[in-house]
């Protein structure tokens, strides 16, 4: 079946960094490769250059500026959608979604674009968040998010489409190993990691991400005689410096200050995980999907994780024995000790693939554009 060339507008607050932003670029690139026109509207950021190099067009509007004054954008956006004959309006964030929804709702149903929203997280349950359920199709990025939406909002399940986030196996290749020059530079910067089995917790520094549990686990492993070193890889965000000091004090109190390194933000997280003996996900709150753990598993690196949220769904497919109950450090210790002796074989990722995610998204667009226009969801 042949489909017409689509004009797709993705809208999000900014293009600085993050999973939503990377997903926007990946989809834009794919649309261009498939012969469609890809537009992205945001306040701009460091990823704009890459976006445009990949063939998408960027439109710089302050759609993420949380102010009632931003509602002045509703009428110009309506004009923009008509002028560019946009076929699909795809929104990924709550505040821009309100601007887009109000513009879209005020258009002639026979001539307006089709509206798609993606629910990327467990947003607070409120009238403000409900805008993410107003798409004619609502993409949910894991079964956990699908259940969350159905539990908290009066939404027709027929409008929901499960579409897992995906990893590019060419980038996160099964069996990937860092280059020798990268390793040389790493050991020069972090000599304390040499000759030890590396355990990595990739997560920004915030209380629910599990750094405290990770430090406790390191101390228990050391008491058992394990030759391990812990890496906490992630941003120390504004206002979180005091929490980093707390973690350092905890590691001193448990006598593992010399066995843990806080690297801060790193662009080379792929290489760090690839050289790690194990990667951990110890978030006390469920992750909507957990892109980083999926990247580790795709490279064949074993993951031990609290079994909830999207990460539990990944492990169920690829490494069920890596799932432990939330907060069960005894199970984490037992499993870590076993895997330090004999790591498990992680099968190749055939489920959570970038190509599948992209094809599914385009199929949703095609499905909508082939249907007659309907009245806007309430």
């Amino acid at each position: 079946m042949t489909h017409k060339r689509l004009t797709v507008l993705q809208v999000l607050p900014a293009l600085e960094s993050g999973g939503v932003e990377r997903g926007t670029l990946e989809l834009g690139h794919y649309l261009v490769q498939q012969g469609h026109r890809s537009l992205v509207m945001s306040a701009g950021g460091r990823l704009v250059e890459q976006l445009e190099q990949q063939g998408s067009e960027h439109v710089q509007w302050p759609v993420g500026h949380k102010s009632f004054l931003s509602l002045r954008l509703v009428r110009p956006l309506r004009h923009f959608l008509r002028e560019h004959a946009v076929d699909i309006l795809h929104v990924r964030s709550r505040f821009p979604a309100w601007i887009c929804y109000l513009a879209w709702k005020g258009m002639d149903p026979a001539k307006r674009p089709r509206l798609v929203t993606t629910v990327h997280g467990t947003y607070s349950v409120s009238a403000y968040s409900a805008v993410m359920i107003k798409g004619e199709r609502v993409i949910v990025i894991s079964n956990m998010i699908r259940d969350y939406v159905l539990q908290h909002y009066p939404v027709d399940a027929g409008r929901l489409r499960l579409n897992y986030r995906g990893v590019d196996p060419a980038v996160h290749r099964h069996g990937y190993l860092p280059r020798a020059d990268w390793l040389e530079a790493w050991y020069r910067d972090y000599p304390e990691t040499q000759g030890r089995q590396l355990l990595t917790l990739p997560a920004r520094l915030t209380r629910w991400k599990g750094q405290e549990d990770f430090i406790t686990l390191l101390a228990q492993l050391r008491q058992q005689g394990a030759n391990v070193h812990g890496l906490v890889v992630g941003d120390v965000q504004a206002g979180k410096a005091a929490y980093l000091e707390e973690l350092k004090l905890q590691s001193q109190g448990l006598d593992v200050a010399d066995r843990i390194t806080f690297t801060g933000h790193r662009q080379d997280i792929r290489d760090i995980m690839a050289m790690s003996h194990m990667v951990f996900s110890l978030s006390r709150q469920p992750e909507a999907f957990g892109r980083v753990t999926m990247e580790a598993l795709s490279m064949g690196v074993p993951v031990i994780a609290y079994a909830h949220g999207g990460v539990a769904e990944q492990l169920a497919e690829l490494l069920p024995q890596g799932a432990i109950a939330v907060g069960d450090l005894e199970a984490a210790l037992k499993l870590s000790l076993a895997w330090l002796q004999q790591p498990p074989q992680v099968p190749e990722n055939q489920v959570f693939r970038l190509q599948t995610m992209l094809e599914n998204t385009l199929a949703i667009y095609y499905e909508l554009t082939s249907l007659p226009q309907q009245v806007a969801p309430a």
Side-chain angles (χ1 to χ4, degrees):
M1 180 179 177
T2 57
H3 295 276
K4 73 163 196 164
R5 180 177 188 256
L6 296 177
T7 296
V8 177
L9 174 63
Q10 298 183 78
V11 185
L12 70 166
L15 281 170
E16 287 295 350
S17 64
V20 175
E21 291 79 358
R22 279 184 294 174
T24 300
L25 261 68
E26 289 163 348
L27 180 58
H29 190 207
Y30 177 70
L31 289 170
V32 171
Q33 288 175 326
Q34 298 301 308
H36 302 293
R37 185 183 180 201
S38 167
L39 304 171
V40 175
M41 181 178 285
S42 82
R46 69 179 85 157
L47 294 175
V48 170
E49 185 180 355
Q50 183 184 345
L51 176 87
E52 292 179 334
Q53 284 172 351
Q54 292 174 344
S56 293
E57 302 163 53
H58 183 255
V59 185
Q60 188 157 331
W61 283 27
V63 285
H65 183 59
K66 293 180 181 175
S67 159
F68 281 111
L69 292 176
S70 297
L71 295 176
R72 293 183 300 185
L73 296 172
V74 169
R75 193 183 296 266
L77 178 58
R78 205 171 284 153
H79 176 75
F80 179 94
L81 294 171
R82 287 195 203 99
E83 181 187 9
H84 292 272
V86 171
D87 297 294
I88 298 285
L89 175 58
H90 188 165
V91 291
R92 298 168 171 274
S93 180
R94 288 175 291 176
F95 194 82
W98 275 110
I99 296 168
C100 292
Y101 178 67
L102 293 171
W104 177 83
K105 200 169 187 298
M107 296 174 75
D108 178 350
K111 296 178 180 175
R112 68 188 174 198
R114 307 315 294 253
L115 182 64
V116 177
T117 56
T118 297
V119 181
H120 285 280
T122 51
Y123 309 123
S124 58
V125 179
S126 63
Y128 174 60
S129 299
V131 69
M132 299 308 296
I133 316 303
K134 293 184 182 293
E136 294 175 279
R137 290 294 177 270
V138 179
I139 296 173
V140 288
I141 67 168
S142 62
N143 273 310
M144 172 222 166
I145 294 296
R146 184 179 188 276
D147 293 346
Y148 186 84
V149 167
L150 289 172
Q151 180 185 344
H152 293 291
Y153 294 98
V155 59
D156 173 9
R159 283 197 284 123
L160 303 185
R161 294 291 180 272
L162 173 64
N163 191 14
Y164 283 116
R165 305 296 83 186
V167 173
D168 184 351
V171 176
H172 294 91
R173 190 179 72 251
H174 199 274
Y176 170 83
L177 292 171
R179 290 174 11 182
D181 58 342
W182 183 89
L183 280 169
E184 190 181 325
W186 171 268
Y187 287 128
R188 190 168 58 245
D189 292 342
Y190 301 104
E192 69 275 16
T193 63
Q194 197 140 14
R196 291 178 181 165
Q197 291 176 299
L198 300 182
L199 311 180
T200 297
L201 182 78
R204 70 182 188 275
L205 264 66
T206 193
R207 284 192 191 279
W208 63 274
K209 285 286 191 177
Q211 283 91 358
E212 292 162 65
D213 284 0
F214 185 62
I215 293 168
T216 302
L217 175 63
L218 278 177
Q220 292 171 343
L221 285 166
R222 188 175 193 179
Q223 286 164 8
Q224 296 283 337
N227 184 28
V228 293
H229 192 92
L231 299 173
V232 174
V233 185
D235 267 332
V236 182
Q237 295 179 307
K240 298 289 183 183
Y243 183 53
L244 174 59
E245 289 309 309
E246 269 183 55
L247 294 173
K248 287 180 176 177
L249 282 171
Q250 181 195 359
S251 60
Q252 287 165 10
L254 292 174
D255 195 28
V256 285
D258 61 332
R259 291 296 182 102
I260 187 164
T261 300
F262 297 92
T263 70
H265 174 70
R266 299 280 304 198
Q267 295 282 14
D268 51 1
I269 181 68
R270 176 182 66 161
D271 293 285
I272 295 170
M273 291 196 300
M275 71 183 291
S276 300
H277 202 81
M278 284 176 261
V279 165
F280 290 79
S281 173
L282 305 176
S283 298
R284 289 287 178 152
Q285 297 173 22
E287 301 274 6
F289 178 68
R291 183 192 272 253
V292 177
T293 48
M294 192 63 253
E295 291 171 349
L297 289 166
S298 288
M299 293 189 292
V301 180
V303 170
I304 294 176
Y306 289 157
H308 57 172
V311 177
E313 294 172 46
Q314 295 169 17
L315 288 174
E317 286 285 346
L318 294 170
L319 194 64
Q321 62 268 44
I324 57 176
V326 178
D328 190 350
L329 286 177
E330 191 178 331
L333 175 63
K334 190 175 175 182
L335 194 55
S336 298
L337 287 168
W339 285 8
L340 286 168
Q341 295 300 318
Q342 182 64 50
Q345 294 299 306
V346 183
E348 289 206 27
N349 166 32
Q350 300 294 344
V351 178
F352 308 98
R353 296 172 78 97
L354 176 62
Q355 188 67 20
T356 307
M357 178 189 88
L358 298 172
E359 289 171 359
N360 288 347
T361 306
L362 189 53
I364 291 164
Y365 293 171
Y366 286 154
E367 175 195 357
L368 267 180
T369 51
S370 66
L371 291 174
Q373 288 281 359
Q374 300 159 336
V375 176

